[in-house]
Amino acid sequence: FAEAAHVKMVTELPSKTDSIEHVLTEYMRMSGVYWGLSAMACLGRDLRAEMDADGALVPWVLSCQHASGGFGGGVAAEHDAHLLYTLSALQILALLGRLDALGESRGRVVGYVASLQRADGSFAGDEWGEVDTRFSYCALSALAILGDLVWSDAGDAARGDGGARRARP
């Protein structure tokens, strides 16, 4: 295992903005940042010192948030909100110990996630309605990170039986 090479690769990625890989992965940048931070955390590295030394990461994450409360894979004006990227954004903020940065928009995030739950208990990934099992995982994980599982019906999500749901925030 070449830890130094892994750390170098992960820490140099943000500076390689002229690479074809950077351009082709823009739409999923939020998840890429989360996986890079996770790799560094698994290596026991100081995330703030090595991945966010200039303090730009949290403002960038927040720039990807839509008025709905959901997050896109990149800057909000360029990428639709989606449950996958909303979870990644919350995971990034949690890894950095900065969930507080959501401020008053925290309720909008909860509302966005809860709004994607369908009558049968499943979750859509976005406003366009694609339903997939991974979206249920993402929704429940996002709400758990925020400490707001009460806004979904986790029992319905597990059973898929479409029982009564709570009023939305």
Side-chain angles (χ1 to χ4, degrees):
F1 179 69
E3 182 176 335
H6 285 357
V7 169
K8 182 179 180 202
M9 183 201 71
V10 171
T11 57
E12 287 181 354
L13 280 174
S15 65
K16 295 184 177 186
T17 58
D18 60 346
S19 71
I20 188 69
E21 292 84 1
H22 182 83
V23 173
L24 293 176
T25 60
E26 180 186 10
Y27 73 96
M28 61 180 177
R29 181 96 51 238
M30 187 70 72
S31 292
V33 169
Y34 164 68
W35 288 110
L37 281 173
S38 293
M40 296 294 278
C42 287
L43 293 172
R45 307 304 287 222
D46 182 342
L47 298 181
R48 287 189 182 166
E50 294 186 75
M51 298 296 290
D52 194 30
D54 62 358
L57 196 49
V58 171
W60 174 78
V61 169
L62 296 176
S63 77
C64 298
Q65 188 176 28
H66 288 256
S68 65
F71 289 82
V75 177
E78 300 168 13
H79 301 277
D80 291 341
H82 197 284
L83 199 46
L84 295 171
Y85 304 123
T86 299
L87 174 59
S88 291
L90 294 174
Q91 290 169 319
I92 291 167
L93 295 175
L95 280 168
L96 294 173
R98 291 300 317 277
L99 282 170
D100 64 305
L102 290 170
E104 293 182 11
S105 75
R106 185 184 189 111
R108 286 189 292 125
V109 179
V110 172
Y112 172 76
V113 173
S115 75
L116 296 172
Q117 190 168 25
R118 303 295 180 226
D120 68 355
S122 64
F123 284 84
D126 58 23
E127 65 181 298
W128 310 111
E130 177 189 9
V131 176
D132 188 310
T133 303
R134 65 193 158 132
F135 302 149
S136 293
Y137 168 80
C138 290
L140 297 175
S141 293
L143 294 172
I145 288 170
L146 294 171
D148 279 314
L149 273 171
V150 69
W151 293 112
S152 74
D153 193 319
D156 280 357
R159 291 186 302 274
D161 65 3
R165 290 171 36 209
R166 293 166 181 79
R168 301 293 180 222

Short mmCIF file of all heavy atoms in Angstrom, two decimals, residues 93-133:
data_model
loop_
_atom_site.label_atom_id
_atom_site.label_comp_id
_atom_site.label_asym_id
_atom_site.label_seq_id
_atom_site.Cartn_x
_atom_site.Cartn_y
_atom_site.Cartn_z
N LEU A 93 -20.09 17.91 4.96
CA LEU A 93 -20.21 18.82 6.09
C LEU A 93 -20.02 18.08 7.42
O LEU A 93 -19.38 18.60 8.33
CB LEU A 93 -21.55 19.55 6.05
CG LEU A 93 -21.75 20.49 4.85
CD1 LEU A 93 -23.17 21.05 4.85
CD2 LEU A 93 -20.72 21.60 4.84
N ALA A 94 -20.56 16.87 7.51
CA ALA A 94 -20.41 16.08 8.74
C ALA A 94 -18.95 15.69 8.96
O ALA A 94 -18.43 15.78 10.08
CB ALA A 94 -21.30 14.85 8.68
N LEU A 95 -18.26 15.24 7.90
CA LEU A 95 -16.85 14.87 8.03
C LEU A 95 -15.99 16.05 8.49
O LEU A 95 -15.03 15.87 9.23
CB LEU A 95 -16.30 14.34 6.70
CG LEU A 95 -16.63 12.89 6.37
CD1 LEU A 95 -16.27 12.59 4.91
CD2 LEU A 95 -15.90 11.94 7.31
N LEU A 96 -16.35 17.24 8.04
CA LEU A 96 -15.61 18.43 8.41
C LEU A 96 -16.09 19.02 9.73
O LEU A 96 -15.55 20.03 10.19
CB LEU A 96 -15.70 19.49 7.30
CG LEU A 96 -15.04 19.13 5.98
CD1 LEU A 96 -15.35 20.18 4.93
CD2 LEU A 96 -13.53 18.96 6.16
N GLY A 97 -17.13 18.40 10.32
CA GLY A 97 -17.68 18.93 11.57
C GLY A 97 -18.36 20.27 11.37
O GLY A 97 -18.37 21.11 12.26
N ARG A 98 -19.00 20.48 10.19
CA ARG A 98 -19.57 21.77 9.84
C ARG A 98 -21.04 21.70 9.44
O ARG A 98 -21.50 22.52 8.63
CB ARG A 98 -18.75 22.41 8.72
CG ARG A 98 -17.35 22.85 9.11
CD ARG A 98 -17.31 23.90 10.22
NE ARG A 98 -18.31 24.96 10.07
CZ ARG A 98 -18.18 26.04 9.31
NH1 ARG A 98 -17.08 26.23 8.62
NH2 ARG A 98 -19.14 26.94 9.24
N LEU A 99 -21.80 20.78 9.98
CA LEU A 99 -23.25 20.77 9.69
C LEU A 99 -23.90 22.08 10.09
O LEU A 99 -24.92 22.47 9.52
CB LEU A 99 -23.92 19.59 10.40
CG LEU A 99 -23.73 18.23 9.74
CD1 LEU A 99 -24.24 17.12 10.65
CD2 LEU A 99 -24.43 18.17 8.39
N ASP A 100 -23.30 22.78 11.05
CA ASP A 100 -23.82 24.08 11.48
C ASP A 100 -23.84 25.09 10.33
O ASP A 100 -24.62 26.05 10.36
CB ASP A 100 -22.98 24.63 12.63
CG ASP A 100 -21.55 24.92 12.21
OD1 ASP A 100 -20.88 23.99 11.70
OD2 ASP A 100 -21.09 26.07 12.39
N ALA A 101 -23.02 24.89 9.31
CA ALA A 101 -22.96 25.81 8.18
C ALA A 101 -24.27 25.86 7.40
O ALA A 101 -24.52 26.82 6.67
CB ALA A 101 -21.81 25.44 7.24
N LEU A 102 -25.11 24.86 7.57
CA LEU A 102 -26.42 24.86 6.91
C LEU A 102 -27.30 25.99 7.44
O LEU A 102 -28.15 26.50 6.72
CB LEU A 102 -27.13 23.52 7.09
CG LEU A 102 -26.54 22.34 6.35
CD1 LEU A 102 -27.19 21.05 6.82
CD2 LEU A 102 -26.70 22.52 4.85
N GLY A 103 -27.10 26.35 8.69
CA GLY A 103 -27.88 27.43 9.29
C GLY A 103 -29.38 27.19 9.13
O GLY A 103 -29.88 26.09 9.33
N GLU A 104 -30.07 28.24 8.71
CA GLU A 104 -31.52 28.17 8.57
C GLU A 104 -31.97 27.30 7.40
O GLU A 104 -33.14 26.93 7.31
CB GLU A 104 -32.09 29.58 8.43
CG GLU A 104 -31.93 30.39 9.70
CD GLU A 104 -32.54 31.78 9.59
OE1 GLU A 104 -33.26 32.04 8.60
OE2 GLU A 104 -32.27 32.60 10.47
N SER A 105 -31.06 26.96 6.50
CA SER A 105 -31.45 26.12 5.36
C SER A 105 -31.59 24.65 5.74
O SER A 105 -32.07 23.85 4.95
CB SER A 105 -30.46 26.27 4.20
OG SER A 105 -29.26 25.57 4.46
N ARG A 106 -31.21 24.30 6.96
CA ARG A 106 -31.32 22.91 7.43
C ARG A 106 -32.76 22.39 7.26
O ARG A 106 -32.96 21.28 6.78
CB ARG A 106 -30.89 22.83 8.89
CG ARG A 106 -30.86 21.44 9.44
CD ARG A 106 -30.50 21.49 10.94
NE ARG A 106 -30.26 20.17 11.44
CZ ARG A 106 -29.07 19.72 11.82
NH1 ARG A 106 -28.02 20.49 11.76
NH2 ARG A 106 -28.95 18.49 12.25
N GLY A 107 -33.73 23.19 7.63
CA GLY A 107 -35.13 22.79 7.48
C GLY A 107 -35.52 22.58 6.02
O GLY A 107 -36.32 21.69 5.71
N ARG A 108 -34.96 23.38 5.13
CA ARG A 108 -35.24 23.20 3.70
C ARG A 108 -34.65 21.89 3.19
O ARG A 108 -35.23 21.25 2.32
CB ARG A 108 -34.71 24.37 2.88
CG ARG A 108 -35.56 25.62 3.03
CD ARG A 108 -35.17 26.72 2.06
NE ARG A 108 -33.86 27.25 2.38
CZ ARG A 108 -32.83 27.32 1.53
NH1 ARG A 108 -32.94 26.89 0.30
NH2 ARG A 108 -31.66 27.82 1.92
N VAL A 109 -33.49 21.51 3.72
CA VAL A 109 -32.88 20.23 3.33
C VAL A 109 -33.80 19.09 3.76
O VAL A 109 -34.11 18.19 2.97
CB VAL A 109 -31.47 20.04 3.93
CG1 VAL A 109 -30.90 18.69 3.53
CG2 VAL A 109 -30.54 21.16 3.51
N VAL A 110 -34.26 19.14 5.00
CA VAL A 110 -35.19 18.11 5.50
C VAL A 110 -36.45 18.08 4.65
O VAL A 110 -36.91 17.02 4.23
CB VAL A 110 -35.54 18.36 6.99
CG1 VAL A 110 -36.65 17.43 7.45
CG2 VAL A 110 -34.30 18.20 7.87
N GLY A 111 -36.99 19.25 4.35
CA GLY A 111 -38.19 19.33 3.52
C GLY A 111 -37.98 18.76 2.13
O GLY A 111 -38.85 18.07 1.59
N TYR A 112 -36.82 19.04 1.55
CA TYR A 112 -36.51 18.52 0.21
C TYR A 112 -36.47 17.00 0.23
O TYR A 112 -37.12 16.34 -0.59
CB TYR A 112 -35.16 19.07 -0.28
CG TYR A 112 -34.68 18.42 -1.55
CD1 TYR A 112 -35.24 18.76 -2.78
CD2 TYR A 112 -33.69 17.45 -1.54
CE1 TYR A 112 -34.83 18.16 -3.96
CE2 TYR A 112 -33.26 16.85 -2.71
CZ TYR A 112 -33.83 17.20 -3.91
OH TYR A 112 -33.41 16.58 -5.07
N VAL A 113 -35.74 16.45 1.18
CA VAL A 113 -35.62 14.99 1.26
C VAL A 113 -36.99 14.37 1.51
O VAL A 113 -37.40 13.42 0.82
CB VAL A 113 -34.61 14.57 2.36
CG1 VAL A 113 -34.61 13.06 2.55
CG2 VAL A 113 -33.21 15.06 2.00
N ALA A 114 -37.72 14.89 2.48
CA ALA A 114 -39.04 14.34 2.82
C ALA A 114 -40.01 14.44 1.64
O ALA A 114 -40.84 13.55 1.44
CB ALA A 114 -39.61 15.05 4.05
N SER A 115 -39.88 15.50 0.83
CA SER A 115 -40.79 15.68 -0.31
C SER A 115 -40.60 14.61 -1.38
O SER A 115 -41.47 14.42 -2.23
CB SER A 115 -40.58 17.06 -0.94
OG SER A 115 -39.39 17.11 -1.71
N LEU A 116 -39.47 13.92 -1.35
CA LEU A 116 -39.19 12.91 -2.36
C LEU A 116 -39.74 11.53 -1.99
O LEU A 116 -39.66 10.60 -2.80
CB LEU A 116 -37.68 12.84 -2.63
CG LEU A 116 -37.09 14.11 -3.23
CD1 LEU A 116 -35.57 14.01 -3.28
CD2 LEU A 116 -37.66 14.38 -4.62
N GLN A 117 -40.31 11.40 -0.78
CA GLN A 117 -40.90 10.11 -0.41
C GLN A 117 -42.24 9.95 -1.10
O GLN A 117 -43.07 10.85 -1.11
CB GLN A 117 -41.06 9.97 1.11
CG GLN A 117 -41.44 8.54 1.49
CD GLN A 117 -41.32 8.27 2.98
OE1 GLN A 117 -41.40 9.17 3.80
NE2 GLN A 117 -41.14 7.00 3.32
N ARG A 118 -42.45 8.79 -1.68
CA ARG A 118 -43.67 8.47 -2.41
C ARG A 118 -44.68 7.79 -1.49
O ARG A 118 -44.35 7.34 -0.40
CB ARG A 118 -43.35 7.53 -3.60
CG ARG A 118 -42.34 8.11 -4.56
CD ARG A 118 -42.93 9.34 -5.21
NE ARG A 118 -42.02 9.95 -6.14
CZ ARG A 118 -41.77 11.24 -6.18
NH1 ARG A 118 -42.33 12.06 -5.34
NH2 ARG A 118 -40.96 11.74 -7.08
N ALA A 119 -45.91 7.72 -1.95
CA ALA A 119 -46.99 7.14 -1.14
C ALA A 119 -46.70 5.70 -0.73
O ALA A 119 -47.16 5.25 0.33
CB ALA A 119 -48.31 7.20 -1.91
N ASP A 120 -45.93 4.96 -1.53
CA ASP A 120 -45.64 3.56 -1.17
C ASP A 120 -44.44 3.44 -0.23
O ASP A 120 -44.02 2.34 0.10
CB ASP A 120 -45.41 2.72 -2.43
CG ASP A 120 -44.14 3.07 -3.19
OD1 ASP A 120 -43.45 4.05 -2.81
OD2 ASP A 120 -43.84 2.39 -4.18
N GLY A 121 -43.87 4.60 0.19
CA GLY A 121 -42.75 4.60 1.12
C GLY A 121 -41.40 4.74 0.45
O GLY A 121 -40.41 5.07 1.09
N SER A 122 -41.31 4.49 -0.86
CA SER A 122 -40.04 4.61 -1.57
C SER A 122 -39.69 6.09 -1.76
O SER A 122 -40.50 6.98 -1.47
CB SER A 122 -40.14 3.93 -2.94
OG SER A 122 -41.10 4.59 -3.75
N PHE A 123 -38.49 6.35 -2.23
CA PHE A 123 -38.04 7.72 -2.49
C PHE A 123 -37.63 7.86 -3.93
O PHE A 123 -36.99 6.98 -4.50
CB PHE A 123 -36.84 8.07 -1.60
CG PHE A 123 -37.20 8.36 -0.18
CD1 PHE A 123 -37.33 7.33 0.73
CD2 PHE A 123 -37.41 9.66 0.25
CE1 PHE A 123 -37.67 7.58 2.05
CE2 PHE A 123 -37.74 9.93 1.57
CZ PHE A 123 -37.87 8.89 2.47
N ALA A 124 -37.97 9.00 -4.51
CA ALA A 124 -37.47 9.38 -5.83
C ALA A 124 -36.12 10.07 -5.62
O ALA A 124 -35.86 10.60 -4.54
CB ALA A 124 -38.44 10.32 -6.52
N GLY A 125 -35.30 10.09 -6.65
CA GLY A 125 -34.00 10.73 -6.54
C GLY A 125 -34.06 12.23 -6.72
O GLY A 125 -33.23 12.96 -6.20
N ASP A 126 -35.07 12.69 -7.45
CA ASP A 126 -35.19 14.12 -7.72
C ASP A 126 -36.61 14.45 -8.14
O ASP A 126 -37.49 13.58 -8.10
CB ASP A 126 -34.19 14.55 -8.80
CG ASP A 126 -34.37 13.80 -10.11
OD1 ASP A 126 -35.47 13.26 -10.39
OD2 ASP A 126 -33.39 13.74 -10.89
N GLU A 127 -36.83 15.66 -8.56
CA GLU A 127 -38.17 16.10 -8.93
C GLU A 127 -38.71 15.36 -10.16
O GLU A 127 -39.91 15.38 -10.41
CB GLU A 127 -38.18 17.60 -9.20
CG GLU A 127 -37.35 18.02 -10.40
CD GLU A 127 -37.36 19.51 -10.62
OE1 GLU A 127 -38.45 20.08 -10.87
OE2 GLU A 127 -36.26 20.10 -10.55
N TRP A 128 -37.86 14.71 -10.92
CA TRP A 128 -38.29 14.03 -12.14
C TRP A 128 -38.86 12.65 -11.84
O TRP A 128 -39.47 12.04 -12.71
CB TRP A 128 -37.14 13.96 -13.14
CG TRP A 128 -36.52 15.30 -13.32
CD1 TRP A 128 -35.27 15.67 -12.92
CD2 TRP A 128 -37.12 16.46 -13.88
NE1 TRP A 128 -35.05 17.00 -13.21
CE2 TRP A 128 -36.18 17.51 -13.80
CE3 TRP A 128 -38.37 16.74 -14.44
CZ2 TRP A 128 -36.44 18.79 -14.26
CZ3 TRP A 128 -38.62 18.02 -14.89
CH2 TRP A 128 -37.67 19.02 -14.81
N GLY A 129 -38.67 12.13 -10.63
CA GLY A 129 -39.41 10.97 -10.17
C GLY A 129 -38.80 9.59 -10.31
O GLY A 129 -39.47 8.60 -10.01
N GLU A 130 -37.55 9.46 -10.76
CA GLU A 130 -36.96 8.12 -10.84
C GLU A 130 -36.88 7.52 -9.44
O GLU A 130 -36.41 8.16 -8.50
CB GLU A 130 -35.55 8.19 -11.43
CG GLU A 130 -34.87 6.84 -11.47
CD GLU A 130 -33.39 6.91 -11.85
OE1 GLU A 130 -32.82 8.00 -11.93
OE2 GLU A 130 -32.82 5.82 -12.04
N VAL A 131 -37.37 6.29 -9.28
CA VAL A 131 -37.35 5.61 -7.98
C VAL A 131 -36.34 4.48 -8.05
O VAL A 131 -36.27 3.74 -9.03
CB VAL A 131 -38.75 5.07 -7.63
CG1 VAL A 131 -38.71 4.27 -6.33
CG2 VAL A 131 -39.74 6.21 -7.51
N ASP A 132 -35.54 4.36 -7.02
CA ASP A 132 -34.48 3.36 -6.96
C ASP A 132 -34.22 3.08 -5.49
O ASP A 132 -34.28 3.99 -4.66
CB ASP A 132 -33.24 3.94 -7.65
CG ASP A 132 -32.12 2.95 -7.82
OD1 ASP A 132 -31.76 2.28 -6.84
OD2 ASP A 132 -31.58 2.87 -8.94
N THR A 133 -33.89 1.86 -5.15
CA THR A 133 -33.63 1.48 -3.77
C THR A 133 -32.54 2.34 -3.14
O THR A 133 -32.63 2.71 -1.98
CB THR A 133 -33.24 0.00 -3.67
OG1 THR A 133 -34.29 -0.78 -4.26
CG2 THR A 133 -33.02 -0.43 -2.24
#
